[in-house]
Amino acid sequence: MTYAENLWLFFTLLFGIIIVPGMDMVFVLANAITGGRSSGLAATAGIMAGGVLHTLYAALGVSVVLHLVPELFNVLLLLGAAYIAWIGFSLLRSSITIGGVEAGARLSRWASFRQGALTSLMNPKAYLFMLAVYPQFLKSQFGPVWSQAAVMALMIAVTQLAVYGGLALAAGRGRDVLVGSPGATVAIGRGAGLLLVAIAVFTVWQGWSGAG
């Protein structure tokens, strides 16, 4: 697998996870509905900042593993693929719907940013993703881990900005799609689930064939 192919696979997985309606998406919509586009974009920026911090600690952990116990890398790959497959099967079996997006109290832009960062940093699924899945895409043959991590951090931030920022800019329409069209959210969830299962199988196959 080339470096470009590795990044495309990471982006496909990343987009499949971010596009599924969840806590971050609802938080952005609630802020946008209450405080307008600027508040929604501030919440998006906070979530992006949290994502950058997640990337930093994950890259540090991968660097330590590669340096001290390189044999553990395939173990991490297998665990990460199992986690991806578990998320995928869960999405395939579930019917994700958003019953309502509560506006809540109006927050300042700084408060929206701060709470967005905290929402991202306190999300346990984000920690599992960064520790179990992210390491699969940082590979020694593609150069220094930190340069790869910087590129992937930028990809995470841009994808979050495109998805969550787009919803913030079209808060009313985005709310109607999530709340008023349960079939759309179910389809998004199940489509992402199928994608994640396929990626899990592919990453294990690529990892073991590359090791061989």
Side-chain angles (χ1 to χ4, degrees):
M1 179 187 293
T2 66
Y3 182 47
E5 290 170 341
N6 186 67
L7 288 180
W8 270 112
L9 183 61
F10 175 74
F11 170 74
T12 304
L13 172 63
L14 176 68
F15 184 77
I17 289 177
I18 289 178
I19 199 67
V20 175
M23 181 172 60
D24 290 345
M25 187 177 289
V26 171
F27 179 77
V28 169
L29 277 174
N31 276 268
I33 290 168
T34 301
R37 293 176 177 178
S38 61
S39 182
L41 290 173
T44 299
I47 291 171
M48 291 165 61
V52 170
L53 291 178
H54 281 304
T55 303
L56 289 176
Y57 76 71
L60 178 61
V62 171
S63 297
V64 171
V65 169
L66 286 175
H67 181 71
L68 297 179
V69 195
E71 295 81 8
L72 283 179
F73 200 75
N74 275 347
V75 176
L76 284 176
L77 184 147
L78 184 60
L79 291 175
Y83 177 62
I84 295 172
W86 177 75
I87 294 176
F89 280 120
S90 298
L91 289 173
L92 283 170
R93 296 174 58 190
S94 66
S95 297
I96 298 172
T97 58
I98 304 296
V101 179
E102 297 295 333
R106 180 168 184 164
L107 302 175
S108 67
R109 286 191 289 271
W110 168 243
S112 295
F113 174 87
R114 187 175 66 248
Q115 289 193 15
L118 289 174
T119 297
S120 176
L121 290 173
M122 294 190 317
N123 188 344
K125 290 183 179 180
Y127 286 95
L128 285 172
F129 174 80
M130 298 307 292
L131 291 174
V133 178
Y134 181 77
Q136 301 177 41
F137 299 94
L138 293 175
K139 301 179 180 180
S140 57
Q141 65 264 37
F142 297 143
V145 168
W146 287 107
S147 64
Q148 296 181 60
V151 172
M152 292 164 71
L154 180 61
M155 291 174 67
I156 292 171
V158 170
T159 305
Q160 288 176 326
L161 178 61
V163 175
Y164 300 144
L167 283 174
L169 292 174
R173 187 173 301 173
R175 182 188 185 281
D176 291 342
V177 170
L178 288 177
V179 178
S181 305
T185 57
V186 170
I188 290 172
R190 292 182 178 174
L194 182 61
L195 180 66
L196 296 183
V197 171
I199 289 175
V201 173
F202 183 75
T203 51
V204 169
W205 177 76
Q206 277 289 136
W208 252 255
S209 62

